[in-house]
Every structure is written in C-alpha cells, then in structure tokens.
Amino acid sequence: MLKTQIIAAKLLTQTQECAWREILSEQPILNGPHFSPELVRIFGRARPGAAVCVVKHGTELIGFLPLHREKRSQATAIGGHLSDFQGAIIRPGAEWDFAKILRCANLKQLTFRDWVDPSESLSNGGNTQHGSPFLDLSGGFEAYRIERRQHTRELQEGLRKSRKLGRDIGELRLEPYCEDRTVLTQLLTWKAEQMQAAKKWNALAIPWTRSVFDAALEERSDDFAGMLTALWAGDELVAGTMGIRSKNVVHGWVTAYSPKFGKYSPGLMLILELAQQCESLGITRIDMGRGDESFKTSFASGVIDVHEGCIDSTPMKAWIH
C-alpha cells in the first residue's frame, strides 16, 4: 500500500538522511549538489513552504520528493529560482507513480523546470526536454583542453586573455573557497547592476536568497559545501562565483565580474581557472546549468537531460498537459 508523509524540509531526520544517501549512491546521475540532503535543509530553513514528501510502499521506504508547497495544493521546486536541478530521490526499480503519490499527499499539481529523471517516471507528465551543459574534467584539465580544442577557439581565446590580464594588471590568483563575505556582497552588487542595465528582473534580490548563500557557506564536508570562488589579478577582485559542491561536482549559482575588466571576458576566465584546479580539488565535473549562452555550448563536454512541465494528480488533466 502506498503511503506518503509530508514533513518540513528542515526536519529531515538522520535516519531519513542515511536512506537518502543510500539512494543517491545507487543513482549516479543524481550526484550533483542540488540533490544533497544538506541543501534541502538549507532551503527548509530559508523558505517556510519547503517540504519533503516521504514515500513508502508498505513499510519499505522507496524515495523522497522535495518540493515547495504553494496555495491551492500546488507544488513547485523546493529551491525556487535556485533549483537549477530538480528531481525525486527514487530507489532504483521502485514502483513510482507520480499521480498516485500526489493524490496520496493531497497535492493537485507539481510544476518543474529542470527535472532530472533517471527512472523515467515522468512518462505520464506533460513536459519538454532540454540539455543542461557540463564540463567533464575526470581526465584532468589538459585532457579536457585537447578534446575541446578540436571544437572551439573560444577556450584558447580565454586562456590567451588570462595571460594578458596577468601581464596588464597583476598575477592571477584563484581562491576556490573564499571566506570573505564582502566578496559575496560585491558579487551580488555587480550582478544587480548588470540586471538593471539589461532591464531584467533580478531574482537574486529576493530576501531569502542571501540567507541560502550564507547558510551554504557554513557547510564544509566531503558530501556538500558552499563554494564562494574569487578570481584576483594582483590585489584587484576581477570576478566571482557563488556555488555549491557535492563530492566531485561543482555548480555555480551566480557568476559576476567587475565591469572595468569586461574586455578580458572575466566570467569565462574564472571558469577556465577553476577547471585548471579541479583535479587538485577532487572535482571531476562543473555543471553550468541550462541556458543558451554561447560559452556554454563552446565549453560543454556534454549535457544532462532535464525536463520542464508539470504533473497533475488528475489523469485527464495529466493527459491534456
């Protein structure tokens, strides 16, 4: 018999976390930091509606569904605009029927944007598929550089500009785990100015966003860590990224740079500098997130399939979607 229990995300127990990690170890595609229980708790402390639906068949725990409860029994991604990857934590081979689970949990609809689906449980949901690019650094930076050299000149141009910036301003220095919170403040200020100049809405201005960043930076373990990365030229802060890391995967939430160094393409420069240090940091993949920016196409080793759409608890509505 199907059983569900919705709990506040911040109240995930140690026993549930152990089961969560066990499932992650059986689903390699979910090895990115967005699927870490630590991040779920962080979202839970920052957003009152953040929850986890614990799913059982009888007494057997078969998975977890992180979500954010909206009005009128609607559900969305647990981290809102910070959920660049979403998905259910499902035990391989488990019978997982989304419509039944939603009905059992008294939810009408689940809307998603970047859903990773290793168990192909979205077959009855209305969705479209996209590719989310990543850099494969499992063989080290030099192997990555040689592989990409056959496809694009942008990488070589980025390395050339790095050398030029070092000559013009000062020696480049990458700080992968920056402890200075003023760097984060400067990074967000640059991003806000960039969005304002482009006349775009700045989602990072939502108040709970900064609290999520600060809480992530308090986490530092082999399983999960917040990662504020700063690129310096001499004493000048050139660019920064606020991101998160799981065991061997890093994802940048937001990257911004000083406008006065714009001609050097500092955002791309930062990615390349980080990629060159990944081997020493134990990182084998950099997730860039879904987007149509040209550098993502140029730098990507491949893509992770993600889905956008919704699942409805009513069969007819699910068919219409």
Side-chain angles (χ1 to χ4, degrees), residues 5 14 18 37 85 139 145 215 242 256 316:
Q5 177 189 13
Q14 186 173 0
C18 289
F85 287 97
R145 185 187 67 81
M242 176 61 216
M316 179 56 70

Side-chain angles (χ1 to χ4, degrees), residues 1 13 17 49 54 62 64 92 113 130 150 172 177 228 234 300 303:
M1 177 181 293
T13 68
E17 180 179 332
V54 183
I62 63 168
F64 302 91
R113 185 178 182 275
H130 307 274
Q150 302 172 21
L172 294 189
Y177 290 98
L228 175 61
V303 298

Side-chain angles (χ1 to χ4, degrees), residues 62-291:
I62 63 168
F64 302 91
L65 177 59
L67 52 87
H68 189 271
R69 288 180 289 186
E70 307 284 355
K71 296 179 180 178
R72 298 184 296 277
S73 300
Q74 306 288 313
T76 56
I78 189 171
H81 60 285
L82 295 181
S83 281
D84 293 322
F85 287 97
Q86 303 150 25
I89 313 302
I90 308 171
R91 196 174 296 280
E95 182 183 341
W96 186 277
D97 187 319
F98 261 116
K100 287 182 180 179
I101 290 169
L102 292 181
R103 287 196 295 273
C104 189
N106 294 318
L107 294 170
K108 293 180 180 179
Q109 190 178 87
L110 171 65
T111 304
F112 49 86
R113 185 178 182 275
D114 294 285
W115 196 275
V116 180
D117 186 30
S119 61
E120 299 183 356
S121 54
L122 293 177
S123 57
N124 62 345
N127 67 85
T128 55
Q129 187 169 304
H130 307 274
S132 185
F134 64 88
L135 278 67
D136 179 5
L137 295 157
S138 56
F141 179 76
E142 186 60 20
Y144 163 78
R145 185 187 67 81
I146 292 172
E147 188 275 330
R148 292 315 300 163
R149 185 174 58 187
Q150 302 172 21
H151 301 281
T152 178
R153 294 181 180 178
E154 193 164 3
L155 188 148
Q156 300 303 322
E157 182 67 9
L159 294 173
R160 185 191 68 79
K161 287 183 176 180
S162 294
R163 294 189 293 269
K164 179 173 173 53
L165 178 62
R167 292 192 302 267
D168 293 348
I169 307 299
E171 183 180 357
L172 294 189
R173 173 172 58 89
L174 186 76
E175 195 175 357
Y177 290 98
C178 180
E179 301 285 352
D180 187 351
R181 298 297 175 90
T182 63
V183 170
L184 176 57
T185 300
Q186 180 62 77
L187 166 66
L188 297 177
T189 299
W190 283 336
K191 198 65 177 182
E193 291 170 352
Q194 177 187 346
M195 300 300 283
Q196 184 177 15
K199 296 182 178 180
K200 293 182 179 179
W201 175 63
N202 181 18
L204 299 175
I206 296 174
W208 58 263
T209 303
R210 178 62 190 255
S211 65
V212 167
F213 291 163
D214 287 332
L217 291 174
E218 294 296 326
E219 299 279 348
R220 181 74 67 84
S221 70
D222 291 339
D223 292 312
F224 179 86
M227 196 169 177
L228 175 61
T229 302
L231 178 65
W232 305 82
D235 295 328
E236 292 265 15
L237 179 62
V238 175
T241 293
M242 176 61 216
I244 44 179
R245 177 193 59 77
S246 57
K247 291 180 178 179
N248 63 334
V249 180
V250 64
H251 175 90
W253 263 325
V254 54
T255 298
Y257 57 85
S258 172
K260 70 179 181 179
F261 297 115
K263 68 178 182 179
Y264 296 97
S265 303
L268 304 185
M269 193 180 300
L270 187 148
I271 294 175
L272 291 174
E273 290 293 322
L274 177 59
Q276 291 177 75
Q277 291 197 24
C278 276
E279 190 170 6
S280 64
L281 295 170
I283 294 169
T284 60
R285 193 178 86 213
I286 298 177
D287 285 336
M288 293 187 285
R290 178 154 69 99

Side-chain angles (χ1 to χ4, degrees), residues 1-70:
M1 177 181 293
L2 181 68
K3 298 179 181 178
T4 62
Q5 177 189 13
I6 294 185
I7 62 173
K10 63 182 179 181
L11 299 179
L12 196 68
T13 68
Q14 186 173 0
T15 299
Q16 289 166 339
E17 180 179 332
C18 289
W20 188 301
R21 293 196 189 282
E22 180 184 342
I23 296 172
L24 290 181
S25 69
E26 299 169 343
Q27 297 278 26
I29 197 172
L30 301 181
N31 62 353
H34 282 88
F35 302 106
S36 300
E38 290 90 345
L39 184 59
V40 167
R41 284 204 198 89
I42 289 171
F43 284 144
R45 293 194 294 268
R47 307 187 77 199
V52 174
C53 181
V54 183
V55 184
K56 295 182 178 181
H57 270 308
T59 59
E60 180 189 8
L61 192 155
I62 63 168
F64 302 91
L65 177 59
L67 52 87
H68 189 271
R69 288 180 289 186
E70 307 284 355

Side-chain angles (χ1 to χ4, degrees), residues 305-319:
D305 291 334
V306 294
H307 301 263
E308 178 178 9
C310 65
I311 297 170
D312 204 288
S313 61
T314 305
M316 179 56 70
K317 290 183 178 180
W319 179 83

